[in-house]
Amino acid sequence: LSRSRSVPFIIPPTLHRRDWINLVNEEQVQEDSDPYVIPQSGPRSSFHSLAGAYIVGTINPELYKFPEDKSETDFPEGSIGRLWFSMEYEQESEKLFVSLIKVRKLQPPADSCSPFVKIYLLPDERRYLQSKTKRKTLNPQFDENFVFQVSSKMLFQSTLKFLVYHVDKQKKHHLLGQVTFPLKNETLTADSKLVVWRDLEKEYLEPPSEFGDIQFSLSYNDYLGRLTVVVLRAKGLKLQDESHAASVYVKVSLMNHNKFIKSKKTAAVLGSLNPVYNETFSFKADETELDTTSLSLSVFQNMEGDKTHLLGRVIVGPFMYTRGKELEHWNEMISKPKELVKRWHALCHSS
């Protein structure tokens, strides 16, 4: 192996205590009257004194490189593209400013690609803002700014949704992918712009099932004996009351031998048939009990008073309780310890 060039490592001359002044916050700063020492010019070697500084060794510059931004180079297997955007919120005017920056590595249905983006602020699924169309590029640079009017109370119950489309020669629109970004855990202010990138996801293209569908990830850590569930989103729900006052949440229950062990709930999302949650829950589950353990995910709608209405549920677990996709999801989780395994499931009504 060839050795990389070395850079001299220099220790500065010793500074006496009188060269520094103490500040109230215990930081120290050098007084202006003491300029720093400038190394003398002239030939230098590892044995030359440089105005009181001296060389004690060398540094390998390869070890001190700043980490490069890999968001434009490291794409996951099967990637359909990646989208960059930024946000800031002005509380006084109640405006959310969204900048659509760029999309990279799109996978178009044809040879050429003319992409544009629709931006929604859910739960309002009727209105959207739209970017300009970029002609014949898989890596469109948008740099466009958009404004949503939203109260500070509603902001953290909202979700940004980006739909990336391709326009073909017949002016038909083909959905290439989407990004959903819940705002509930974000700190958004007018003086700090939050820049985010997310990988595009394929929309769930199968027709929705009778009671709707739910997407979640499962992971099991055999070392910690921990079962993790990430409730991602639901789709095509059949709400009893479709007003904006209606709110929907997911209850995740851990069962053993059909005996209830523990349950946890997501926050309720207002007025959406396609709520986004992105909430993570963990349960203790010993590896020896996995053959008798199951998970129930139930979607409830809050009604007037303290009443709730069950919209549907799905149960995942071992062969003792499940078959089909639910059993496949559980077995894949077991076979890939510590990995998050993501799937959609049809909700059903059961007693």
Side-chain angles (χ1 to χ4, degrees):
L1 293 173
S2 60
R3 296 180 61 185
S4 57
R5 287 180 55 196
S6 296
V7 177
F9 179 43
I10 299 173
I11 295 180
T14 304
L15 293 166
H16 299 290
R17 182 74 183 171
R18 59 181 170 77
D19 294 321
W20 301 85
I21 57 173
N22 286 316
L23 301 179
V24 176
N25 63 2
E26 297 185 355
E27 291 181 1
Q28 292 181 318
V29 64
Q30 196 171 359
E31 292 188 54
D32 292 339
S33 57
D34 295 330
Y36 63 88
V37 180
I38 303 173
Q40 297 171 347
S41 59
R44 299 173 183 175
S45 73
S46 58
F47 302 102
H48 283 113
S49 171
L50 303 181
Y54 54 93
I55 298 173
V56 294
T58 58
I59 290 175
N60 180 357
E62 295 297 317
L63 299 177
Y64 293 87
K65 282 187 174 178
F66 288 104
E68 58 183 275
D69 177 16
K70 294 186 176 180
S71 65
E72 290 221 37
T73 55
D74 287 4
F75 286 79
E77 188 177 345
S79 169
I80 58 171
R82 184 171 285 172
L83 182 144
W84 283 256
F85 62 98
S86 69
M87 301 161 291
E88 51 188 320
Y89 184 68
E90 195 174 80
Q91 196 149 2
E92 193 175 340
S93 63
E94 295 193 327
K95 288 179 178 176
L96 175 67
F97 297 91
V98 179
S99 295
L100 174 63
I101 301 170
K102 61 188 176 185
V103 180
R104 292 292 181 264
K105 292 211 172 178
L106 288 172
Q107 302 296 317
D111 292 339
S112 65
C113 185
S114 296
F116 72 90
V117 181
K118 289 181 181 179
I119 308 173
Y120 294 79
L121 187 64
L122 305 179
D124 188 351
E125 298 179 73
R126 295 166 296 175
R127 286 182 285 270
Y128 60 86
L129 301 175
Q130 185 170 318
S131 75
K132 295 175 182 175
T133 300
K134 300 295 178 179
R135 299 292 174 190
K136 297 182 179 178
T137 176
L138 299 177
N139 302 294
Q141 187 78 29
F142 290 99
D143 295 322
E144 292 186 52
N145 300 313
F146 304 90
V147 181
F148 291 94
Q149 196 75 43
V150 55
S151 69
S152 54
K153 181 182 177 182
M154 283 299 298
L155 179 69
F156 300 108
Q157 299 173 14
S158 301
T159 295
L160 274 172
K161 183 175 182 178
F162 300 83
L163 297 178
V164 182
Y165 289 90
H166 156 65
V167 188
D168 66 18
K169 293 177 181 178
Q170 285 74 42
K171 306 296 182 186
K172 287 184 180 178
H173 295 173
H174 303 269
L175 183 61
L176 300 179
Q178 66 177 19
V179 167
T180 51
F181 188 81
L183 300 177
K184 60 188 170 189
N185 297 322
E186 302 304 325
T187 304
L188 301 174
T189 60
D191 52 6
S192 65
K193 184 178 286 190
L194 179 66
V195 180
V196 179
W197 60 263
R198 287 289 184 273
D199 287 312
L200 295 181
E201 292 186 333
K202 290 178 181 175
E203 193 175 30
Y204 188 48
L205 297 176
E206 292 179 25
S209 56
E210 184 180 357
F211 301 108
D213 303 89
I214 185 170
Q215 186 190 44
F216 55 92
S217 297
L218 295 177
S219 175
Y220 185 69
N221 187 317
D222 48 356
Y223 179 74
L224 298 175
R226 187 172 64 201
L227 179 60
T228 299
V229 186
V230 185
V231 181
L232 295 165
R233 56 175 71 90
K235 186 174 179 65
L237 299 178
K238 305 297 185 288
L239 300 183
Q240 290 290 102
D241 173 14
E242 294 191 14
S243 72
H244 273 32
S247 62
V248 178
Y249 67 90
V250 180
K251 181 179 178 181
V252 184
S253 300
L254 179 72
M255 316 288 286
N256 196 336
H257 283 295
N258 285 327
K259 179 185 174 184
F260 169 78
I261 304 297
K262 193 169 188 177
S263 69
K264 301 181 180 183
K265 294 193 297 187
T266 68
V269 172
L270 287 175
S272 175
L273 302 176
N274 307 303
V276 178
Y277 296 100
N278 283 3
E279 292 194 41
T280 302
F281 306 103
S282 291
F283 301 91
K284 292 296 287 184
D286 192 85
E287 193 171 9
T288 59
E289 299 179 337
L290 286 184
D291 286 342
T292 57
T293 296
S294 63
L295 282 168
S296 168
L297 287 89
S298 304
V299 183
F300 288 95
Q301 178 182 347
N302 287 321
M303 307 299 285
E304 285 187 17
D306 292 329
K307 293 181 180 179
T308 59
H309 173 72
L310 177 66
L311 298 176
R313 79 159 49 97
V314 61
I315 295 173
V316 289
F319 187 78
M320 180 183 288
Y321 308 108
T322 62
R323 298 290 187 275
K325 290 182 177 180
E326 288 70 37
L327 176 61
E328 287 173 14
H329 196 176
W330 185 265
N331 286 342
E332 189 177 355
M333 173 196 76
I334 301 294
S335 67
K336 298 177 178 177
K338 303 182 183 67
E339 279 189 39
L340 277 172
V341 181
K342 179 167 65 175
R343 288 207 179 186
W344 280 98
H345 293 277
L347 293 169
C348 60
H349 266 285
S350 56
S351 56

